[in-house]
Each structure stands twice: as structure tokens, then as C-alpha cells.
Amino acid sequence: MALIVQKFGGSSVGDAAKIKHVARRVIETQKAGNQVVVVVSAMGDTTDELIDLAQSVAGDPYASAREMDMLLTSGERISMALLAIAINAQGGVSRSFTGSQAGIMTSAKHGDARISEVTPTRIREALDEGNIAIVAGFQGFNRDSKDITTLGRGGSDTTAVALAAALDADVCEIYSDVDGVYTADPRVIPAAHKLESIDIESMLELAAAGAKILHIRAVEYARRHNVDLRVRSTFSTDPGTIVYSTKPAGDNMEEPIVSGVATDKGQAKITVIGIPDQPGKASELFQVVAEADVNIDMIVQNVPTGSDVTDRVSDISFTLPLGDLGRVAGALEAAKPTLGFRQLEQDADIGKLSVVGAGMKTHSGVSATLFKALADAGINIEMISTSEIRISVVTNAKQLDDAARAVHTAFGLDSDTEAVVYAGTGR
Ligand code: ASP
Ligand code: MG
């Protein structure tokens, strides 16, 4: 008997009809001879609505981080109980469990806890008794504080992968409102086509580059624990996309040069102008940034200018999450006297475009194709960065979607049929 973990996202359990539909699907999976563990997200936009509600009673509700976790975890408890009720009403046997009841232990950090240990004893028992086990996504429990935690927005994917690893599941299926992993976001590029399979390294790069289909920490977890994923739609019978951690035996196919194009509008750019060109200055600068606790991405330093060696200066630009822009700019301004730069520029209107493919390791000419496509489309490149299997460029935010379409076409990824998007607000 196979053990399958199925995760249903918010748009899949968005209303009563959809919950009943998921109940039917899950019962069918069990009837086909499988043990089934289901992880659910909160219904529709519930999590956002709960955050709005908290903001209506406090200017900064996250000052009460523990209470925000108490509040937000209630969204998943609603959907898990409703799904269990629906399954039981349809003749199935089901029981729901919170993250802590499912044995998901985490670090203590509210709003962004990491899974430290998974002991799904009660889930195993429920399965052995013939139940469909439903687990609330995105939440856990810290042993020291004895408090409920959440895993960060979109964390239900991680719950599913962690349970699949701990239960040694045969497959972990991630259900959403699209048929699988596409060569680009079908909402932006309707000509995007679905991938039958993708290696986990490329999936990780795509997720890091802004593809929203899978939560990046879930992909990291899957890679570390060798969990294979299947990404598919709740609203179709399409088999979806396999995201494999180990290449299927007998598969000698060459890796595609480009698997996908991802865009990210959630980034901003800071340029530090006229910083002394002396050893240690970059270190001082990024120390200030690190103390502000942000993840920076691309860094570019231009060639220093100035007539004599002692007063030469250069400019350093870097990208960071848009939400951290004000805080980091403030910290740098405060450190201006010691850093000794001339001026700080902030740019909130940037977009990042990335092309990803495992075949890049062994093929040249990828950057030439990319730059030619952007040049032909009249798009200016502000920054460039590369990894073994990814090339990213920063453009003006307004041009990002056009840039993505041009690049998607240039790499021959366009299909002649329009991608299907079944539901969801994309919120
Ligand atoms: N409900 C949570 C969120 O919206 C977790 C999830 O959907 O995975 O972020
Ligand atoms: Mg959600």
C-alpha cells in the first residue's frame, strides 16, 4: 500500500463546494488503495483577511508576534475541520490534527519558525486505523516556549514535504489552481507551457527567482530529504509536473538548457554613491546591511574613478526585498559619517528576470541569447548576476513583463495553446 501526502492550497479549499470536491478526490485516492495524509491551507484569502483584521485593532499587530501566530493558525484549523467533516459526511473516515498534534516541532521564532523535528505518531495511528489524516498546514509547536508557531507565508507546502519525509511517503502531491510547473507564470505569459518534469535544483532556483508555484523552503526541505514532489491542479485530472530529487532510473534525457523564466517584482535597489575605494569599505557597508537582518541578492561595484589613488571612490549597488528598503536605507544613512559615501539612491521600481536550466552547465551562448532578446525588445539591463544554472537581470519594473515575454519566445518556450488557470486571486 502506498502512502500519499496531498497538500491543498487556499484556492483549492476556497468555499464549501470546493471543500466537498477535495473531500471526493481524497476519498477516491484512499479507495484506490492508498494511505492518505492531507495538508490544508486556510480557505481562500483567509490569512490576508485575518492580517487585515489584526491591523484594524493595532497599528503594528506584529508587535504581538505570539498572538499573530495564534490568530493566523486558526485559518488552517477551520479548513482542516471542515474537510474532515465533509469527508465523514461523504462516507469516508477522517480525523484532523493541528501542527502540534501532528508532531511538527519548530524553532521559537514566531511568524518564521523552522521545523526542527517531526514525530507524526498520531498520524501513523490514525492511518493504521483506516483514517484519512488531515493536518493543518503552516504551523508547529516549540517545546521550550510551549507555544504555537507559524512557518512563514505559504508555509503549508513545507508542512506537506516535512510530513512526507517523516512518514517516508511514496509521493508528495502539491495541489493548486494550475496544472503544474510552467515555463513561466501563465498569468503573465499565456504561451507558457507545462513541464512534465523538472529537477529539484532548477526548481529551487526558479522558486528563489520569484516563481510562486512552490514555497522555497518546501523545495529546500524536499531536496535535503530526497522527497519527490508532484505539482498538479485540484480542478483537473492532469498528472501535473514531477519535481524529482533523484533522476528517475533509466532516464538518460539531457537536461533542458532553459526550463523556465521567472520574474520578481518584490525587489528594490540601493546604490551607494562615492564610497572610498579602500580595503574594508565593502565589508563595513555590508556589515551595516547584515545588522539590519536582510537578505541581499545581487551586488555590483563599478570601476573606481578619481585622479589619484588616495581619493578614488566607487559606487556599489545591491538588490534587496522591497519591504526592507526603508529600513536598510535608514541604517545606511545613519552610518554615512563612518562609511564616508557621498550619496544614497533608492529605487523601488525594479524587476528581476531570471532564466533557469540545468543544461546551462554544459551549454554556452545562453547569455548571448538572453541579451539579444532584451536588446531587440528595447529593454535596458541595470544589473546582471549568474549561477551555474541561472542568469538574472534587473530591469525597470514597468518593462519586466515585456522582457519576460521576449525572453520566453527567444528560448523557444512558447506553446501554441493557452495555459489554463482554474481559480485563485493570486493574492
Ligand atoms: N495560509 C498561509 C498563507 O496564506 C499558509 C499557506 O497558505 O501555505 O500564507
Ligand atoms: Mg494562502
Side-chain angles (χ1 to χ4, degrees):
M1 199 186 278
L3 197 162
I4 300 183
V5 175
Q6 300 187 323
K7 181 256 170 178
F8 292 90
S11 59
S12 300
V13 292
D15 58 32
K18 286 179 180 154
I19 290 176
K20 288 200 273 184
H21 171 78
V22 167
R24 269 192 300 279
R25 261 200 107 123
V26 169
I27 291 173
E28 271 168 31
T29 309
Q30 190 194 39
K31 282 205 174 129
N34 304 296
Q35 289 191 311
V36 190
V37 177
V38 180
V39 174
V40 283
S41 290
M43 295 171 68
D45 291 333
T46 300
T47 308
D48 292 291
E49 286 158 11
L50 290 171
I51 293 170
D52 292 348
L53 198 54
Q55 271 157 352
S56 68
V57 298
D60 177 18
Y62 289 97
S64 305
R66 175 185 185 276
E67 305 311 323
M68 282 305 282
D69 279 356
M70 293 300 262
L71 178 69
L72 298 187
T73 48
S74 69
E76 269 70 11
R77 286 185 66 158
I78 293 171
S79 41
M80 75 175 194
L82 287 175
L83 181 58
I85 291 168
I87 291 172
N88 294 340
Q90 288 178 27
V93 192
S94 166
R95 241 191 272 164
S96 68
F97 299 89
T98 64
S100 65
Q101 288 175 323
I104 297 176
M105 299 299 145
T106 72
S107 63
K109 192 171 179 197
H110 288 295
D112 191 26
R114 306 278 150 153
I115 294 177
S116 51
E117 181 194 330
V118 184
T119 15
T121 320
R122 295 196 63 186
I123 304 300
R124 276 250 183 257
E125 281 167 11
L127 292 174
D128 291 343
E129 288 164 15
N131 285 282
I132 293 168
I134 319 280
V135 180
F138 150 79
Q139 53 182 274
F141 180 78
N142 179 261
R143 277 190 207 283
D144 302 324
S145 67
K146 300 190 177 57
D147 271 327
I148 303 288
T149 53
T150 58
L151 306 177
R153 295 305 308 271
S156 298
D157 288 354
T158 310
T159 303
V161 173
L163 278 171
L167 293 163
D168 198 16
D170 295 276
V171 65
C172 179
E173 298 187 325
I174 308 284
Y175 284 86
S176 74
D177 52 4
V178 288
D179 271 333
V181 180
Y182 278 73
T183 49
D185 182 347
R187 291 183 180 89
V188 178
I189 305 184
H193 72 264
K194 199 197 69 183
L195 298 166
E196 244 156 62
S197 68
I198 184 169
D199 62 287
I200 198 123
E201 300 288 337
S202 296
M203 192 63 240
L204 197 56
E205 289 274 10
L206 280 175
K212 290 190 189 64
I213 184 86
L214 285 173
H215 196 229
I216 182 158
R217 278 179 39 206
V219 185
E220 274 166 2
Y221 204 103
R223 182 178 60 163
R224 221 169 331 116
H225 292 85
N226 273 310
V227 177
D228 288 335
L229 306 175
R230 185 182 284 281
V231 180
R232 57 191 304 190
S233 167
T234 313
F235 308 104
S236 80
T237 52
D238 193 290
T241 303
I242 281 277
V243 183
Y244 56 87
S245 296
T246 18
K247 204 170 176 163
D251 182 351
N252 298 318
M253 288 254 294
E254 247 188 90
E255 309 282 7
I257 301 173
V258 172
S259 291
V261 178
T263 54
D264 185 354
K265 287 184 185 150
Q267 298 271 310
K269 183 175 77 174
I270 287 181
T271 305
V272 180
I273 299 172
I275 190 161
D277 180 38
Q278 289 157 11
K281 276 294 165 190
S283 153
E284 273 177 48
L285 169 69
F286 288 109
Q287 191 57 39
V288 174
V289 175
E291 275 158 20
D293 197 20
V294 280
N295 272 326
I296 56 168
D297 181 20
M298 297 187 191
I299 303 173
V300 171
Q301 175 177 341
N302 71 356
V303 179
T305 54
S307 43
D308 87 73
V309 190
T310 51
D311 62 25
R312 288 212 306 195
V313 292
S314 59
D315 306 336
I316 297 180
S317 302
F318 59 91
T319 60
L320 71 169
L322 191 52
D324 295 328
L325 178 61
R327 196 158 42 90
V328 174
L332 286 171
E333 284 292 0
K336 189 173 178 180
T338 43
L339 290 174
F341 60 86
R342 191 158 52 78
Q343 197 187 324
L344 199 71
E345 262 178 23
Q346 303 179 35
D347 188 351
D349 291 318
I350 63 160
K352 189 172 81 175
L353 177 147
S354 307
V355 296
V356 172
M360 276 186 205
K361 276 185 228 163
T362 48
H363 281 83
S364 55
V366 179
S367 38
T369 307
L370 172 66
F371 298 143
K372 171 130 193 348
L374 293 172
D376 290 350
I379 287 153
N380 186 41
I381 302 171
E382 298 180 21
M383 294 169 100
I384 302 167
S385 83
T386 60
S387 85
E388 245 195 334
I389 60 170
R390 172 186 53 83
I391 306 177
S392 301
V393 296
V394 165
T395 70
N396 185 298
K398 281 187 236 26
Q399 291 184 306
L400 186 65
D401 289 349
D402 286 340
R405 277 186 282 269
V407 169
H408 196 267
T409 305
F411 282 103
L413 298 174
D414 289 357
S415 91
D416 355 307
T417 50
E418 271 212 9
V420 195
V421 181
Y422 296 92
T425 57
R427 189 173 175 182

